[in-house]
Amino acid sequence: MAEQRAQNLTDDANAPGAVLRPGRAADPAPEAPGAALNAAQRTAALQASEAERAASDDAPEPAEQQANDDRGEGADSESKGNVEQALAESKQRRLRLVLRQCDRVLLMDFDLLSMSDWPTNYQMAAARRSRDLWVFSALVAATIFLSGLTGFIPAWIAGGGFGAFVIILLLGVPMIRRIYTEKPSYLDLVVKRQRLLRDARKHVEHLEGKEGLVWQCARMADYNPALKHPRFSDIIRLSEQRVLAKHLVRREYVRLYLIYMLEAEKAYSRVQQAFFDGNQEAIDKGWQSVAALPVERT
């Protein structure tokens, strides 16, 4: 009986299902391979479902995503609009300054600067020839009269020479000269040239003012490239030094100034049109700070 009990204990200890060791609990029985594989799959599926749930929780709703996109596009468009408004305001301010500084271009008197009544060289040559003939005739008559005083020629010839000398002198008087001829004398033409040049220089001095109109109009060269021509460099430099009117001592210089003023007038009209277009665009876009305010009438 004792041997049989010992044999049963030995068989139970050698059984593969339970292992008994002193001081610790029995190890659990290993599961079948199929059961372990099903547990691993369930764990992986559980982890995948948790990851999908977390991703779905983190992902924004479509409406919220659309709102974020719209908010970003609105911020970009607003920033772009602010930049465009600032650039437009700077451009309008610069155009307004140019128009204010160069507005005296509109006061230019074309007839005064062009000097259309300027005596031509042919008129001057003809008047000089008439003057030389008058002087020669007066000298001949005076010589005949003086020769008669010395007794070299008869007295009646000397008296005739004296009478001719007096008549020739009277013909040179302006009031008597206008009786028998409408042609101006050489002296009249010289005085007329000087008067026209003096009036043109006074007008240039009025246009230039204290700041120098030509120098200020050089800023409009972007709207009329003709203002950058090298032939205008001298008058621009003199205008910057405020001494332009003093150096216009010849008609050619005045005509060069007139040509520059005509080109500046073209540039001024283009600047004015650009300012009006920019003002209208600002009004259309609702940029009140850019649009020019109308002047109050009194």
Side-chain angles (χ1 to χ4, degrees):
M1 180 65 67
E3 293 178 359
Q4 186 177 359
R5 187 179 298 117
Q7 183 68 31
N8 293 333
L9 292 175
T10 302
D11 295 339
D12 294 337
N14 292 332
V19 177
L20 297 178
R21 293 180 183 179
R24 61 186 298 271
D27 294 335
E31 298 179 355
L37 181 60
N38 293 334
Q41 291 178 352
R42 286 196 300 271
T43 303
L46 181 60
Q47 293 178 353
S49 62
E50 291 179 354
E52 291 179 357
R53 186 181 301 107
S56 62
D57 294 339
D58 295 338
E61 296 295 332
E64 183 179 357
Q65 181 69 24
Q66 182 66 26
N68 293 334
D69 295 342
D70 294 341
R71 191 180 301 109
E73 293 178 358
D76 294 340
S77 61
E78 183 178 359
S79 176
K80 184 178 180 181
N82 293 334
V83 172
E84 292 179 356
Q85 183 176 356
L87 293 176
E89 186 175 358
S90 176
K91 180 181 178 181
Q92 290 296 102
R93 188 183 304 110
R94 180 174 59 85
L95 293 178
R96 190 183 297 110
L97 178 62
V98 171
L99 292 176
R100 184 169 60 252
Q101 291 178 344
C102 301
D103 57 353
R104 287 196 304 275
V105 173
L106 304 177
L107 301 178
M108 180 190 63
D109 191 342
F110 178 81
D111 295 333
L112 194 59
L113 294 179
S114 64
M115 295 181 288
S116 57
D117 295 337
W118 184 267
T120 63
N121 294 333
Y122 175 78
Q123 292 176 343
M124 295 294 293
R128 189 184 300 111
R129 190 182 306 109
S130 300
R131 183 204 60 181
D132 295 341
L133 181 61
W134 175 79
V135 172
F136 178 75
S137 301
L139 290 177
V140 170
T143 301
I144 293 175
F145 171 70
L146 294 176
S147 298
L149 295 177
T150 60
F152 184 75
I153 59 175
W156 66 272
I157 296 178
F162 177 77
F165 177 73
V166 172
I167 293 174
I168 292 173
L169 289 180
L170 292 175
L171 292 178
V173 178
M175 291 187 301
I176 299 177
R177 178 183 176 85
R178 295 190 186 95
I179 297 176
Y180 67 91
T181 181
E182 296 292 338
K183 295 182 180 180
S185 63
Y186 180 77
L187 181 61
D188 294 338
L189 296 179
V190 171
V191 171
K192 185 176 182 180
R193 278 189 170 186
Q194 294 178 352
R195 178 177 56 81
L196 292 175
L197 186 59
R198 182 175 63 253
D199 295 341
R201 292 177 62 184
K202 287 183 178 180
H203 185 58
V204 170
E205 185 177 1
H206 171 68
L207 292 177
E208 286 293 305
K210 298 180 180 180
E211 295 80 10
L213 180 60
V214 171
W215 172 60
Q216 291 181 338
C217 291
R219 303 177 183 178
M220 299 188 296
D222 295 337
Y223 294 89
N224 189 0
L227 298 178
K228 299 180 181 179
H229 199 279
R231 62 177 176 174
F232 298 132
S233 59
D234 292 336
I235 63 175
I236 294 176
R237 175 177 53 84
L238 295 174
S239 177
E240 185 178 2
Q241 298 174 359
R242 316 297 195 274
V243 292
L244 178 58
K246 298 179 181 179
H247 288 77
L248 299 180
V249 295
R250 300 180 61 180
R251 187 195 181 199
E252 291 78 8
Y253 303 156
V254 179
R255 295 296 295 271
L256 182 63
Y257 182 84
L258 174 61
I259 295 174
Y260 187 90
M261 284 291 100
L262 293 176
E263 298 295 338
E265 190 175 8
K266 295 179 183 178
Y268 185 87
S269 61
R270 295 172 185 175
V271 172
Q272 193 175 32
Q273 185 63 38
F275 176 78
F276 290 155
D277 294 342
N279 189 65
Q280 184 62 40
E281 182 179 0
I283 294 175
D284 295 339
K285 293 184 178 181
W287 295 341
Q288 299 299 330
S289 60
V290 180
L293 298 177
V295 180
E296 297 181 359
R297 296 183 179 180
T298 58

